[in-house]
Amino acid sequence: MSARNTIILAAGKGTRMKSKLYKVLHRICGKSMVDHVLTQVSKLNMDNIVTVVGFGAEDVEKELGNRTKYVVQNQQLGTGDAVLRAEDLLKNSDGTTLVISGDTPLFKAKTLEKLFAYHADKQATATILTSVAPNPTGYGRIVRNDLGIVEKIVEEKDASSEERNIKEINTGVYVFNNQKLFKALHEINNDNAQGEYYLTDAIEILKRKGGIIAAYQMDDFDESMGVNNRVAQAAATKVMQRRINEYHMNNGVTIVNPDDTYIDVDIEIGPDTIIEPGVQLQKGTKIGRDCVIGANSKITGSIIHDGVTVTSSTIEDSEMMDGSNIGPNSHLRPQSLIGKYVHIGNFCEVKKATIGEGTKIGHLTYVGNATLGKDINVGCGVIFANYDGKNKHETKVGDDVFIGSNANLIAPLEIADHSFIAAGSTITDDIHQYDMAIARERQTNKPNYYQKLPFNGAD
C-alpha cells in the first residue's frame, strides 16, 4: 500500500484577524484551529504529517508538539511555495499527499477519507475537494467544461465577471500524486495579481501533461469554512457548537436550549444529565450521569461525578463527588475537592480545600487552604483566614464539628472531632475534642445611652 502524507499550511500571518495571536492558534470551542485540522487528519492513519509554519512558528510547535513534523516558510510567497517547503521531507514518498489549510477547523476525517477514496477510484493525478457555496465571494472558483471536467481553478482576484458567478468553489484541500506534485511546483511562476506562487497553478501544469484532474464535491459546505477574520471565527464556532451539542443530545444528554449552551470539544457528559441555558463547559471537564448543570454555570477543567447539582456557579480545576451540590452564585477555585453529599450554598468560595462527606456550608462563607472532615456544619459568614500577608497557612477540621455563624478561623489551626465553635468567635488556638470555643468580648449594655445623644429621634 502506498504511503499517505499530509501537508498542513499554517504559515500565514492572518492580518485580517487584527490580533497579536497567530491566526491558526485562534480557538474554536476550546481548541486551536490548526489543532482541529491535525486532530482530524491524524484519524486517517497518515505515514507523514508536515506542518508548514512561518509567523509564530514557535507558538504553533508548542501547540501541536511532536504530533507533526515542521518546515518553515520564511517569506510568504504563496501556497505553492509553502507546499514546496515540505519537499525535502516527502520527496522520496511514492504515495499520495493531502494538502489542507490550518485555518479550516470544520473538516471531518470522514470527508477527507472520501476524498482519498475518490482520488484512488478515478486514478487521478490531483483531486480537488469542492463545494457549492451560497455566497462564493472570496473563494477560488472551479471552472468546468461542458462535460463537467475540471478545466482550471481561478482565484477571485484573477477571475472574470462570468467566472465570479460560479458557485462551485475550491475548498483549498487537495490530494496529489506526491512525486508529480513536487515536479509541477518547480514549474509554476508568480505571474498573477498577487505576485504569489499559487498551488492551483500546479494543477494546470499537471493537466497539460496529461494528468487526470478530478474534483470531489462534498455535501456540507459548512465544513469548508475558512477563518480569516473574527466574523468568520464566530460563524465557524457556531457550526462546531451545533455539532458538539447534537453529539451529546444523541447520547442521552438533555440540553434545554442548544443555541445558548457552550460546550468545548472533548467534553464528556453522562446520560440523563440536564444542561440548562447559558452553561459553559470548558476544556478538560467531565460530567457524570444524572447531573443538573444550572443556568449560566461555568465549569472548566473539572470532574463532576454522578448526581451532582450545580446552580448558577463557577467551578475551576476542581472535583465534586456523587450527590454533592453547589450554588447559586458560588465559586470553586482550583484544587477544591468536594466530597459525597456535600452541600455548598449560595455566595460561597472554596479554594484549595477538601470538604468531607455530608458536610454543609450554607452561605456567605470562604474556605481556603483547608481540610474539613465529615458531617460538619459551617454557619453563615464563616471565614477561613489563610493568609498572613506573606504565606498561606492550613486549617484542619475534624468530623462532626459545629462552626457557628460569623466565626473567623485564623490559620494555622487544628480543630478536633466533635467540637463546637460559638457564633461570632475569632479562633486563633487549636480546639480539642468535645470542647466548645468562645472567643468574643462579653456584651456590655449602657443604660439610658440613647437619651444622651444630641439627636435621639424626639421632636
Side-chain angles (χ1 to χ4, degrees):
M1 184 176 179
S2 61
R4 275 187 175 186
N5 311 306
T6 290
I7 300 172
I8 300 174
L9 304 181
K13 187 175 183 179
T15 54
R16 282 179 284 175
M17 295 296 287
K18 300 289 195 295
S19 175
K20 62 181 179 295
L21 183 65
Y22 188 44
K23 180 174 73 168
V24 297
L25 295 181
H26 281 266
R27 308 188 90 74
I28 304 288
C29 297
K31 181 181 288 188
S32 69
M33 293 193 289
V34 69
D35 194 351
H36 278 292
V37 174
L38 178 58
T39 296
Q40 295 304 309
V41 165
S42 298
K43 295 178 181 179
L44 303 178
N45 298 316
M46 289 290 165
D47 294 285
N48 297 289
I49 301 176
V50 180
T51 300
V52 183
V53 295
F55 291 105
E58 291 182 0
D59 292 334
V60 175
E61 292 183 27
K62 183 179 179 180
E63 176 80 4
L64 302 181
N66 60 6
R67 298 155 59 198
T68 172
K69 300 172 185 176
Y70 301 93
V71 293
V72 178
Q73 184 188 31
N74 290 312
Q75 292 180 282
Q76 309 304 294
L77 301 177
T79 54
D81 179 75
V83 173
L84 194 56
R85 298 308 102 205
E87 183 178 28
D88 287 346
L89 293 179
L90 300 180
K91 62 185 177 184
N92 295 323
S93 173
D94 292 325
T96 53
T97 295
L98 170 73
V99 179
I100 187 169
S101 297
D103 61 358
T104 53
L106 298 175
F107 280 113
K108 299 177 182 178
K110 65 180 181 181
T111 299
L112 302 177
E113 188 62 67
K114 289 178 181 178
L115 175 63
F116 271 106
Y118 190 86
H119 177 81
D121 182 63
K122 298 298 182 182
Q123 297 182 329
T125 306
T127 302
I128 309 157
L129 182 61
T130 74
S131 187
V132 175
N135 177 7
T137 302
Y139 290 92
R141 309 301 203 277
I142 303 298
V143 180
R144 297 178 184 264
N145 64 19
D146 293 340
L147 299 176
I149 297 172
V150 176
E151 289 289 330
K152 63 179 179 177
I153 305 169
V154 60
E155 299 298 325
E156 181 166 317
K157 291 181 180 179
D158 301 312
S160 66
S161 57
E162 182 179 354
E163 289 168 339
R164 290 185 183 188
N165 289 327
I166 296 171
K167 290 190 177 295
E168 185 180 13
I169 57 95
N170 173 24
T171 67
V173 178
Y174 317 88
V175 172
F176 292 94
N177 174 293
N178 187 70
Q179 295 288 333
K180 293 181 180 180
L181 166 64
F182 288 109
K183 288 179 182 178
L185 287 173
H186 283 288
E187 299 181 33
I188 64 176
N189 60 55
N190 63 346
D191 185 17
N192 53 61
Q194 291 292 94
E196 294 183 350
Y197 296 91
Y198 290 152
L199 177 59
T200 50
D201 289 346
I203 292 175
E204 290 192 45
I205 292 170
L206 293 170
K207 184 177 177 64
R208 286 201 304 267
K209 291 185 176 183
I212 297 173
I213 307 302
Y216 173 67
Q217 189 178 111
M218 57 192 282
D219 296 327
D220 184 4
F221 168 73
D222 284 345
E223 282 192 54
S224 67
M225 191 182 300
V227 176
N228 291 309
N229 56 42
R230 306 297 180 120
V231 174
Q233 182 183 7
T237 298
K238 190 171 183 178
V239 172
M240 183 69 76
Q241 194 64 77
R242 184 177 68 246
R243 284 185 194 172
I244 293 169
N245 290 348
E246 288 178 357
Y247 167 81
H248 289 297
M249 289 187 288
N250 287 330
N251 283 277
V253 177
T254 295
I255 299 180
V256 176
N257 183 0
D259 291 336
D260 192 27
T261 301
Y262 310 93
I263 303 175
D264 282 353
V265 294
D266 303 325
I267 301 295
E268 298 178 19
I269 308 176
D272 292 317
T273 283
I274 298 171
I275 309 294
E276 295 183 350
V279 166
Q280 299 178 61
L281 303 180
Q282 297 184 336
K283 189 173 183 179
T285 291
K286 297 180 180 180
I287 309 288
R289 297 170 172 265
D290 302 302
C291 295
V292 176
I293 310 301
N296 302 313
S297 294
K298 180 178 179 179
I299 304 177
T300 303
S302 297
I303 300 174
I304 309 299
H305 291 262
D306 298 342
V308 172
T309 297
V310 178
T311 306
S312 302
S313 292
T314 298
I315 301 173
E316 304 173 79
D317 302 311
S318 295
E319 185 169 0
M320 294 186 69
M321 305 302 289
D322 295 352
S324 57
N325 64 82
I326 184 172
N329 302 309
S330 286
H331 187 184
L332 296 186
R333 290 168 58 193
Q335 300 182 55
S336 296
L337 175 59
I338 309 304
K340 292 183 178 181
Y341 311 111
V342 167
H343 166 68
I344 298 177
N346 52 320
F347 299 102
C348 293
E349 182 176 337
V350 180
K351 188 271 294 185
K352 199 176 182 181
T354 298
I355 312 297
E357 182 175 339
T359 288
K360 294 177 173 58
I361 302 174
H363 42 287
L364 298 167
T365 288
Y366 171 70
V367 182
N369 296 82
T371 301
L372 278 67
K374 299 179 180 180
D375 299 314
I376 297 168
N377 183 87
V378 180
C380 173
V382 171
I383 301 297
F384 283 68
N386 58 332
Y387 184 48
D388 65 6
K390 183 177 180 181
N391 298 307
K392 298 290 179 69
H393 299 281
E394 299 287 327
T395 295
K396 295 181 180 180
V397 183
D399 298 338
D400 296 294
V401 172
F402 182 93
I403 303 176
S405 296
N406 202 34
N408 299 307
L409 310 182
I410 312 299
L413 200 59
E414 292 198 18
I415 301 169
D417 298 346
H418 307 289
S419 55
F420 190 105
I421 297 175
S425 295
T426 295
I427 303 300
T428 59
D429 297 327
D430 294 347
I431 303 173
H432 302 299
Q433 191 173 22
Y434 304 122
D435 285 357
M436 180 176 75
I438 304 175
R440 60 193 185 206
E441 186 177 350
R442 185 178 298 277
Q443 180 175 327
T444 301
N445 292 348
K446 302 291 186 180
N448 302 318
Y449 181 80
Y450 182 80
Q451 293 178 320
K452 297 176 182 178
L453 295 175
F455 171 71
N456 60 18
D459 291 335

